[in-house]
Amino acid sequence: MTSRRSKASRSHRTFDAAAESSEPRVGATASARARQEIDLLAVGVALLCAILGFTSRHHLNPDGVSYLDLAVRLREGDWTAFVQGYWSPLYPALLALAGAVTGSGGAPSLPVVHGLHVLLAWGVVALLWRAFRRRDDVILARLGFAAFLLAGTRPPRIDAVTPDLLLLLALTFVALEWLEHGGRRWVRLGLALGAAFLAKTSTWPWLLVALLLSPLLARRDGTLRPVRRSSAVAIAVILAWVVPLSVSEGRPSLGSAGRLNACWYLASCDSRSPDTHGGDHDWYRAVTDSGGTRLEVADFGDAAGTYAPWSDPTAWDRGVRSRAARPPRAVALVDYWARNTVAAVFWLAPLLLGVVLPAYVTAPATPRRFLAAAPRPVLLAVVLGEIGILQFIAVHVEPRLIAPFAFMAALGIVWWRRTPAAAAGAGAVATPPREPAHGRAPGRRLALSTLGLVFALPLAAVTLRDQIGMTGRLLRRLEEIDGLRASAATAGLTLDRIAIVGPALPHLTDAWRVGGRIVAQL
């Protein structure tokens, strides 16, 4: 009897030891599988961004012409024309650098520009991939990458020649510095905040709130000193642009984008460009044609840029002598804000339904109330993301404008919902996921975590279809432009100086493609 009991006891201990030794091995295997899925998600999103960049390689928008003009001014060392108040400096500086490295210029440089956009998108993907791999959380990765794809109600706007992707990269870095490190790495955080301003100077009200709000939230979690230091670094970066801009304008200035946009969109000013302006301007002059008809011509003279009023809206506005404006009454203003809000909610619906809602449903271990007991870095990311959205709703809202801030807010919510309740302390923000590393979550949670990616796939398909169709039309248009250039050369003419009869902005991209400059507008 004793022998049998001892054998059974030894057998039981042997089984327990085997189970204990096998459990870490199972966990390690499952963790490797989780990391493989995170890697595959990152590769898939990066590949989609590359495809979007390739299919939009010939796309150009009027704002992009101005940024490309500034890049040329910078490469030629024309700092007087480069330092202006409306367009932000960091993006055209990157365009100038890309052009210098590749030796490209003019229309052939467009594929290089969109290649730069792909690199910016890959930078966001790399930051997310590294953060998600540290957390070893598949659900976090699914929701986070879906948020990146859905923040602007469609995959990232790689086709738009604007600094919005650059701002998205800067705000992603800012958000992860708060969420992973609580703002303690103050040099990196300050540089990222300063880069956000240089990427889009019209965000200065948002940045001011960020610099004021972050010390208040840090006061109770022991990170007040590094947060103050990060603010000092950010201010130093901001001054590197504000000082020469103020010298150029002869007065302290953070830029003219906010003032001009408020005039155009809130007060309905007609002075955006000669296309709409019915008043008087320093650049207008009257001429009489051969038939005796008196014409008014906007003569841009030797002004730099493809189209002077849009290459430097600040200089154009400075010459306005009279303008028509209809300052909105309170009722009209509320109506305008309500329509902007409805539009923004519509654009953000895929993000809310595919990412934010599943983030709450898949995390039942914490209170269901919105951001209940959330750590202060999470509150900072979410609140500042929402404030950024509200800033653009107040003046002018578009999906690509609110996308960086919507992504920041969504990333903060997802990060918090994937944080264990035991790690709710203000300083414990870089914590393991709720489920084990291998993602032993109920099937319902795993299924819901893919909802955002499911939403993103048809939107990506529609975007690709539209971009391929537009690329076909652009290629045909480029053939027409080549034919026009050849005909002009045969007649001994050049297209470097162009006069426009009627609105100029619709023809701005064509003028840039032929290497011309609009010198006059009737």
Side-chain angles (χ1 to χ4, degrees):
M1 179 71 68
T2 304
S3 176
R4 289 179 181 177
R5 286 181 179 175
S6 62
K7 288 181 179 180
S9 178
R10 287 195 301 271
S11 175
H12 184 67
R13 287 196 300 270
T14 303
F15 178 80
D16 287 345
E20 290 174 2
S21 63
S22 65
E23 185 173 346
R25 189 179 303 117
V26 172
T29 302
S31 178
R33 291 176 181 173
R35 292 186 177 185
Q36 286 177 357
E37 181 172 340
I38 294 172
D39 294 348
L40 288 175
L41 283 171
V43 170
V45 173
L47 181 61
L48 173 61
C49 292
I51 296 173
L52 290 169
F54 178 77
T55 56
S56 65
R57 62 193 181 279
H58 298 297
H59 293 201
L60 179 61
N61 47 297
D63 288 8
V65 172
S66 298
Y67 284 114
L68 289 166
D69 283 345
L70 287 174
V72 172
R73 301 276 76 76
L74 185 59
R75 288 183 63 179
E76 294 179 352
D78 186 358
W79 285 94
T80 302
F82 180 77
V83 179
Q84 47 76 52
Y86 190 80
W87 305 110
S88 306
L90 185 55
Y91 180 63
L94 289 180
L95 295 181
L97 178 61
V101 170
T102 60
S104 60
S109 68
L110 274 181
V112 175
V113 171
H114 292 292
L116 174 63
H117 294 174
V118 172
L119 292 179
L120 294 175
W122 282 358
V124 178
V125 173
L127 289 175
L128 297 177
W129 168 79
R130 186 179 62 177
F132 298 156
R133 237 175 173 264
R134 286 198 191 112
R135 292 289 296 266
D136 212 9
D137 185 357
V138 170
I139 293 181
L140 174 65
R142 291 175 180 176
L143 294 173
F145 282 124
F148 170 62
L149 295 177
L150 295 174
T153 200
R154 57 182 291 184
R157 290 296 305 274
I158 295 177
D159 59 302
V161 184
T162 62
D164 300 292
L165 263 177
L166 181 59
L167 179 62
L168 177 59
L169 176 60
L171 293 191
T172 301
F173 196 97
V174 168
L176 290 176
E177 283 298 315
W178 281 327
L179 296 172
E180 283 196 287
H181 308 285
R184 291 178 176 84
R185 303 198 305 185
W186 54 274
V187 174
R188 300 184 187 191
L189 178 58
L191 290 175
L193 287 168
F197 170 78
L198 296 181
K200 207 170 188 75
T201 55
S202 61
T203 62
W204 69 262
W206 172 88
L207 187 60
L208 179 62
V209 173
L211 296 180
L212 293 175
L213 188 60
S214 54
L216 294 178
L217 292 177
R219 194 177 295 276
R220 294 172 58 188
D221 66 4
T223 60
L224 182 58
R225 181 174 295 179
V227 165
R228 283 177 173 172
R229 289 176 176 176
S230 69
S231 298
V233 172
I235 291 172
V237 175
I238 293 169
L239 289 176
W241 174 249
V242 168
V243 169
L245 178 62
S246 300
V247 171
S248 174
E249 296 196 1
R251 58 182 178 83
S253 176
L254 288 169
S256 62
R259 174 176 59 85
L260 294 181
N261 286 335
C263 182
W264 299 338
Y265 297 109
L266 296 182
S268 300
C269 296
D270 70 340
S271 55
R272 189 174 185 180
S273 74
D275 289 11
T276 58
H277 188 215
D280 196 14
H281 195 280
D282 289 344
W283 293 351
Y284 290 169
R285 60 184 178 87
V287 298
T288 303
D289 66 6
S290 58
T293 303
R294 186 176 183 276
L295 302 174
E296 192 172 62
V297 178
D299 187 353
F300 308 128
D302 296 326
T306 304
Y307 178 50
W310 205 234
S311 297
D312 188 352
T314 307
W316 160 260
D317 189 75
R318 198 179 294 125
V320 174
R321 295 176 183 171
S322 62
R323 75 183 87 209
R326 297 187 302 275
R329 296 184 177 182
V331 174
L333 196 59
V334 170
D335 177 68
Y336 178 74
W337 289 338
R339 285 185 282 110
N340 279 356
T341 301
V342 170
V345 171
F346 175 77
W347 292 326
L348 295 176
L351 181 68
L352 296 173
L353 296 177
V355 176
V356 175
L357 182 61
Y360 271 77
V361 175
T362 59
T366 57
R368 293 297 183 91
R369 297 190 305 277
F370 186 72
L371 292 178
R376 286 178 178 79
V378 171
L379 284 173
L380 196 60
V382 176
V383 170
L384 288 178
E386 293 172 347
I387 289 174
I389 296 173
L390 292 175
Q391 174 186 331
F392 285 96
I393 286 177
V395 180
H396 175 60
V397 64
E398 291 181 28
R400 65 176 178 83
L401 298 178
I402 63 176
F405 302 97
F407 177 66
M408 169 182 273
L411 185 61
I413 292 172
V414 170
W415 196 275
W416 164 232
R417 299 306 291 182
R418 299 303 301 166
T419 301
V429 292
T431 54
R434 298 177 192 283
E435 289 79 24
H438 50 82
R440 286 180 188 163
R444 178 176 61 89
R445 296 189 193 180
L446 289 172
L448 283 172
S449 68
T450 63
L451 191 59
L453 295 173
V454 171
F455 284 178
L457 288 177
L459 289 173
V462 171
T463 300
L464 285 173
R465 182 201 64 189
D466 293 345
Q467 289 189 178
I468 291 172
M470 186 177 294
T471 298
R473 292 191 295 271
L474 281 173
L475 290 175
R476 290 190 293 272
R477 181 61 176 162
L478 291 175
E479 292 178 358
E480 295 175 358
I481 289 175
D482 288 339
L484 178 63
R485 188 184 289 110
S487 300
T490 301
L493 302 175
T494 61
L495 300 178
D496 57 333
R497 296 171 61 84
I498 302 171
I500 296 287
V501 179
L505 281 175
H507 308 287
L508 182 55
T509 56
D510 284 346
W512 183 86
R513 291 179 193 277
V514 300
R517 185 170 65 87
I518 300 174
V519 296
Q521 181 179 358
L522 277 68

